[in-house]
Amino acid sequence: DAGVTQSPTHLIKTRGQQVTLRCSPKSGHDTVSWYQQALGQGPQFIFQYYEEEERQRGNFPDRFSGHQFPNYSSELNVNALLLGDSALYLCASSLIGTDYNEQFFGPGTRLTVL
Amino acid sequence: DAKTTQPNSMESNEEEPVHLPCNHSTISGTDYIHWYRQLPSQGPEYVIHGLTSNVNNRMASLAIAEDRKSSTLILHRATLRDAAVYYCWSNAGGTSYGKLTFGQGTILTVHP
């Protein structure tokens, strides 16, 4: 049973560019959440997708957008990259409707903005 | 979300018990208490959660204070693999909301 997978593993971009990160949820899961983790900090919630719609959003600007596909996979897009966007981007999946939706995390995508 | 405080770091010896404290003094009645951990170079992983009663699972035990304003994660016999950052918080997440609210966490070092 494959867990949460993310691609690419590492990415280097320059300021002003756009980036797309991808996530495949754990088999059987229908919800995907994205988190940003700066060096030495805990992960910060960006947004969550369920049924191809954004259900919740954290305190991130509109430059951060996402999408969920019918197969439950998801993309995170960041436009007009800033140096401060350099971080580990984590994807987590879960199953809505359970009593407690434990989230399963992928290994992350390390984004460096130069 | 409730305000949460944890010690920045703790140390333990291998095969000894570890008690990781967490204060969530502004917890409200329906808030869960969550614990996740993050091993080096990995994404976070779920450890345990609770509402009012103490909880046990294969990984750890969770002791919840009677007033629910604090909790303690108990690793009964620490191993080197338990060295990680341990995150605790309380909110309504964990049901259909799903939003996890990590703080700074406690860095646990386990000595052989």
Side-chain angles (χ1 to χ4, degrees):
Chain A
D1 178 22
V4 179
T5 60
Q6 293 186 243
S7 63
T9 305
H10 296 88
L11 204 52
I12 299 175
K13 292 286 188 177
T14 57
R15 281 178 297 175
Q17 283 189 311
Q18 178 265 343
V19 69
T20 297
L21 310 181
R22 296 176 175 81
C23 171
S24 291
K26 181 178 168 65
S27 178
H29 284 183
D30 55 10
T31 302
V32 173
S33 302
W34 287 91
Y35 295 81
Q36 180 196 65
Q37 186 172 26
L39 203 59
Q41 305 295 316
Q44 299 297 306
F45 176 76
I46 302 175
F47 42 54
Q48 181 188 74
Y49 276 84
Y50 172 66
E51 292 188 336
E52 302 180 47
E53 291 189 359
E54 184 183 292
R55 281 169 47 94
Q56 282 195 93
R57 188 177 184 91
N59 188 26
F60 279 82
D62 292 344
R63 298 187 297 110
F64 290 76
S65 63
H67 188 76
Q68 185 180 36
F69 299 94
N71 67 352
Y72 307 118
S73 66
S74 177
E75 288 182 350
L76 165 66
N77 301 293
V78 187
N79 293 323
L81 285 168
L82 304 174
L83 295 180
D85 294 332
S86 294
L88 180 68
Y89 288 85
L90 295 159
C91 168
S93 73
S94 57
L95 179 62
I96 291 288
T98 50
D99 289 339
Y100 183 86
N101 59 339
E102 171 188 344
Q103 295 197 16
F104 292 78
F105 283 81
T109 293
R110 172 72 63 188
L111 173 64
T112 302
V113 182
L114 302 176
Chain B
D1 294 337
K3 178 176 168 55
T4 302
T5 56
Q6 298 179 257
N8 290 332
S9 63
M10 292 186 64
E11 297 187 16
S12 174
N13 294 317
E14 201 173 9
E15 299 193 3
E16 289 185 354
V18 181
H19 290 233
L20 296 163
C22 179
N23 287 312
H24 25 80
S25 57
T26 59
I27 189 171
S28 64
T30 56
D31 287 351
Y32 282 91
I33 299 162
H34 316 265
W35 285 85
Y36 275 66
R37 72 180 184 181
Q38 187 170 20
L39 280 63
S41 301
Q42 294 188 27
E45 64 177 357
Y46 166 83
V47 177
I48 200 166
H49 76 281
L51 191 57
T52 55
S53 305
N54 295 344
V55 184
N56 299 296
N57 66 19
R58 62 172 179 79
M59 197 181 294
S61 295
L62 177 60
I64 301 173
E66 194 170 335
D67 63 4
R68 302 208 320 126
K69 295 183 184 301
S70 66
S71 63
T72 302
L73 179 70
I74 303 167
L75 306 179
H76 295 284
R77 291 183 64 198
T79 67
L80 296 179
R81 193 192 175 277
D82 291 321
V85 181
Y86 286 78
Y87 297 99
C88 158
W89 69 93
S90 64
N91 63 10
T95 58
S96 294
Y97 299 106
K99 173 184 172 182
L100 304 184
T101 313
F102 299 89
Q104 290 293 107
T106 297
I107 301 171
L108 175 65
T109 302
V110 180
H111 300 288

